[in-house]
Amino acid sequence: MVFELVGGLGIFLLGMKHMSDGMQAVAGNSLRRLIGAVTNHRIFATTVGVIVTCVVQSSSITTVMVVGFVNSGVMELSQAVGVIMGANVGTTITGWILVLKVGKYGLPLLGFAAFTYLFTRNERWRYWAMFIMGIGMVFFGLEVMKDACSIIKEMPDFEAWFARFQADSYFGVLKCALVGCILTTLVQSSSATLGITISLATQGVISYPTAAALILGENIGTTITAFLASLGTTTNARRAAYFHVIFNLAGVFWITLIFQWYIRFIQSVIGLDVTEAVVIDGNDTYPNTVAAIAATHSVFNVCNMLLFMPFVTPMVRFLEKAIPSLPYKENSRLTDLDVRILETPLLAIEQSRKEIIKMGDGCLKMLDWHLELMLASDSDRQLGDRLKQRERILNSVRDEVADFVTKLLSSNVSHATVEEGRRQFRLADEYESISDYIVNLDKFDRKLRRDGFRFTESQRTDLEALNRQVRTYVTEIHGALIASNPNVLNNTEASGKRIRDEINGLRRKHLEELSAGTIHPVVNVAFMAALNAYIRVRDHARNIAETIAQDR
């Protein structure tokens, strides 16, 4: 019995994992855009939480991901609260999947999907097969657990132990809820305890009211995952995790007060007799309890969400007062990347992409600062130091992005995610190289000033025009990265060629002036080095365009 129960639970959990991975890969860019569109609008944020949790098949993953987003500063607490409420509703989809009358067809479903997964070359079909294979494993694992639980009825000692847990009184409801909470805390998965609860209920080992009370406890137990994930995070991330705990605790408290009325209401809504037994293989089973348990879970979380919805703003204010901010910066990292987001590869790769876009924004600012420094009559040490500091920051950001993407690609991710990760490696390196050459441009000007020289007025005019031309070129390519425009290489080919021709023309002009003997050797070296730096900025920007064009 123990072997069957453990084995069935393992197959069930592995099926849930395959369902999650398959759906995440199939959802693709839609899921990335969805989480990126979360706003302070509580209804929209809650809807996003529902949809994302339905896709990833785990409220724990969603809430841990939200804690990661809040910890990194890319999601506000008010947004996180809405997503967490939606995640509690979205997790109830698991129960409704189990309502499907698949039963023992889970094994052939698993088999056919496995053949498709193994022998098809189309990656999208492979992930659809993985998703269906996960469904098959969920149902097969549930059948194995049901068979194991049917043995309990033949063992008086076990049956007598289970009989102690009856939700026939308020104390009994609390006791059952506590068991569900402890079990979920131990296995770190509400889906696992849901599967066990359904197996026990369908075999008649526990009654429907007891199963309903266990489900309530599972809602509390699932908060432990986000709570543990919040340890060592920023104040706002801890506030988000604490809201998850308060939300579920308060919900279970008020529902236990009306528990007996609530389960009668559920039975009247679904219109099924949960005490109706069906004989299968000589054993009495109660298949109607599956729908009743799923409805109990869904209605509770929807009602709890609707109850809390009007109080989102007061709750956020309460959490901000109860958990005050620290007087210093809590995030020691330069980027908004958080390892907790790695649980959802598609969202993780989108987050690292945003950091690369920020690198591009930084390079454009550096070009503006350099132009201001070069044209200034007096040396601006403060702005020059800011320019060098920005280059050091971009260097560190490049390293953090590379480390994050490396950890992401070390896990089991789709081919598309691997390709995107490789492109991001190159993009981060190219932007960091652009920042290096911009700093070099400022170094040439600083050295001239330090030696008592400056570029001639004609050279400054030419370099100003060149700087603006290069900035326009980089801006166009950076905009294509933001818009994911694969035609960027063709669209910018002409402007890139004009920059190259312009630099070649300036070199010829400079050599003519040099022949006349009117330019000091120090200025000559600095001017030629500046032209070389600009052509290198143009080359690295073109490399970025080539990388974007590969994303077809």
Side-chain angles (χ1 to χ4, degrees):
M1 181 193 72
V2 173
F3 289 167
E4 281 194 15
L5 191 61
V6 172
L9 181 60
I11 295 171
F12 181 91
L13 290 175
L14 188 58
M16 293 296 298
K17 178 72 167 59
H18 281 320
M19 284 174 63
S20 174
D21 291 346
M23 277 302 294
Q24 285 188 61
V26 169
N29 293 329
S30 300
L31 185 63
R32 291 161 60 176
R33 288 193 297 268
L34 187 66
I35 197 69
V38 173
T39 65
N40 283 320
H41 195 286
R42 63 192 67 177
I43 296 177
F44 183 71
T46 302
T47 304
V48 169
V50 173
I51 297 172
V52 170
T53 307
C54 287
V55 171
V56 302
Q57 289 292 304
S58 172
S59 61
S60 296
I61 289 178
T62 304
T63 50
V64 168
M65 177 188 69
V66 167
V67 168
F69 280 139
V70 175
N71 184 55
S72 57
V74 297
M75 186 179 286
E76 296 178 8
L77 182 60
S78 55
Q79 296 173 324
V81 163
V83 176
I84 288 171
M85 289 194 298
N88 279 269
V89 176
T91 192
T92 64
I93 190 68
T94 305
W96 290 108
I97 291 174
L98 299 178
V99 172
L100 299 173
K101 301 292 184 181
V102 176
K104 293 184 179 179
Y105 294 107
L107 195 56
L109 196 66
L110 167 60
F112 286 120
F115 280 115
T116 305
Y117 178 79
L118 290 171
F119 297 113
T120 187
R121 294 185 178 181
N122 185 296
E123 189 177 33
R124 190 168 182 83
W125 277 108
R126 279 172 60 85
Y127 283 107
W128 271 115
M130 178 184 285
F131 170 68
I132 297 171
M133 193 162 55
I135 293 177
M137 294 174 76
V138 164
F139 282 106
F140 178 60
L142 192 64
E143 285 297 311
V144 173
M145 285 193 289
K146 285 179 182 177
D147 291 342
C149 291
S150 65
I151 303 173
I152 293 176
K153 292 192 291 186
E154 302 171 7
M155 305 173 71
D157 292 339
F158 270 106
E159 195 168 18
W161 186 83
F162 277 103
R164 297 179 182 177
F165 301 96
Q166 295 294 333
D168 50 5
S169 65
Y170 184 71
F171 178 73
V173 172
L174 293 180
K175 187 164 65 172
C176 293
L178 180 62
V179 171
C181 175
I182 294 172
L183 187 59
T184 306
T185 301
L186 291 175
V187 299
Q188 292 282 292
S189 171
S190 58
S191 296
T193 47
L194 176 66
I196 295 171
T197 302
I198 288 176
S199 299
L200 292 169
T202 51
Q203 294 301 319
V205 178
I206 59 175
S207 64
Y208 160 64
T210 301
L214 286 171
I215 292 296
L216 297 180
E218 290 161 14
N219 279 274
I220 299 175
T222 194
T223 62
I224 192 65
T225 308
F227 177 77
L228 292 174
S230 71
L231 298 178
T233 59
T234 61
T235 302
N236 249 3
R238 285 186 284 117
R239 287 169 182 160
Y242 294 159
F243 171 79
H244 193 208
V245 176
I246 294 170
F247 177 74
N248 284 280
L249 274 174
V252 170
F253 172 74
W254 71 260
I255 203 70
T256 53
L257 297 176
I258 58 169
F259 183 77
Q260 300 302 328
W261 175 87
Y262 177 65
I263 59 174
R264 287 195 297 270
F265 168 74
I266 293 295
Q267 292 179 74
S268 65
V269 169
I270 64 173
L272 297 173
D273 182 9
V274 295
T275 61
E276 181 182 348
V278 176
V279 179
I280 299 178
D281 296 332
N283 295 315
D284 289 343
T285 59
Y286 302 86
N288 292 339
T289 55
V290 182
I293 290 170
T296 301
H297 199 193
S298 295
V299 173
F300 161 66
N301 280 290
V302 169
C303 290
N304 202 33
M305 178 195 70
L306 295 175
L307 186 66
F308 266 78
M309 190 78 75
F311 303 104
V312 168
T313 303
M315 276 298 302
V316 170
R317 289 175 183 165
F318 166 75
L319 289 167
E320 288 173 345
K321 289 182 179 179
I323 311 165
S325 300
L326 297 176
Y328 53 85
K329 183 183 178 185
E330 299 177 73
N331 192 358
S332 60
R333 296 173 63 87
L334 293 170
T335 63
D336 292 331
L337 302 174
D338 194 295
V339 292
R340 296 165 186 82
I341 312 173
L342 293 174
E343 287 287 339
T344 46
L346 285 170
L347 303 182
I349 203 72
E350 176 66 14
Q351 197 56 39
S352 56
R353 180 177 179 272
K354 289 180 180 178
E355 294 301 327
I356 292 172
I357 289 173
K358 289 180 186 177
M359 291 183 72
D361 294 336
C363 288
L364 293 174
K365 284 184 181 178
M366 290 177 71
L367 280 169
D368 291 337
W369 292 343
H370 165 65
L371 183 60
E372 185 179 342
L373 286 164
M374 184 180 67
L375 297 179
S377 55
D378 297 321
S379 180
D380 188 341
R381 181 177 295 275
Q382 186 177 2
L383 184 58
D385 291 342
R386 193 193 309 171
L387 184 73
K388 290 192 291 185
Q389 176 64 16
R390 179 58 60 93
E391 187 275 331
R392 287 193 290 267
I393 288 173
L394 290 183
N395 190 41
S396 298
V397 169
R398 189 270 312 269
D399 293 340
E400 288 185 21
V401 168
D403 179 61
F404 182 81
V405 175
T406 300
K407 289 176 181 176
L408 175 64
L409 299 187
S410 65
S411 59
N412 184 23
V413 295
S414 67
H415 177 71
T417 303
V418 171
E419 289 301 313
E420 175 66 14
R422 289 173 179 168
R423 283 193 292 269
Q424 288 186 5
F425 274 127
R426 185 179 181 187
L427 289 171
D429 192 58
E430 298 294 349
Y431 275 124
E432 197 278 328
S433 297
I434 288 175
S435 72
D436 287 341
Y437 283 105
I438 297 172
V439 167
N440 287 343
L441 284 167
D442 182 58
K443 284 180 181 177
F444 305 146
D445 187 60
R446 281 194 183 199
K447 188 175 186 303
L448 279 180
R449 291 174 187 265
R450 195 165 51 245
D451 295 339
F453 297 97
R454 286 200 66 188
F455 291 121
T456 67
E457 186 174 345
S458 173
Q459 288 175 335
R460 288 200 299 271
T461 301
D462 290 337
L463 289 175
E464 178 185 359
L466 181 59
N467 191 94
R468 296 187 191 281
Q469 200 172 352
V470 169
R471 192 196 188 285
T472 301
Y473 181 68
V474 175
T475 300
E476 192 173 353
I477 291 174
H478 185 57
L481 172 63
I482 296 172
S484 300
N485 180 9
N487 298 318
V488 58
L489 200 57
N490 294 331
N491 295 343
T492 58
E493 190 66 34
S495 55
K497 187 176 183 298
R498 281 196 297 271
I499 292 172
R500 188 180 59 202
D501 293 343
E502 177 70 16
I503 291 174
N504 289 335
L506 290 175
R507 281 173 176 161
R508 286 193 298 270
K509 177 183 174 183
H510 176 67
L511 289 174
E512 291 172 1
E513 293 175 347
L514 194 62
S515 300
T518 57
I519 299 179
H520 194 280
V522 175
V523 179
N524 165 50
V525 172
F527 187 74
M528 294 299 288
L531 292 181
N532 183 63
Y534 275 118
I535 195 65
R536 295 301 295 154
V537 170
R538 177 259 182 202
D539 290 343
H540 284 293
R542 192 180 189 281
N543 291 341
I544 293 171
E546 288 179 349
T547 307
I548 299 168
Q550 294 172 4
D551 188 14
R552 291 181 181 269

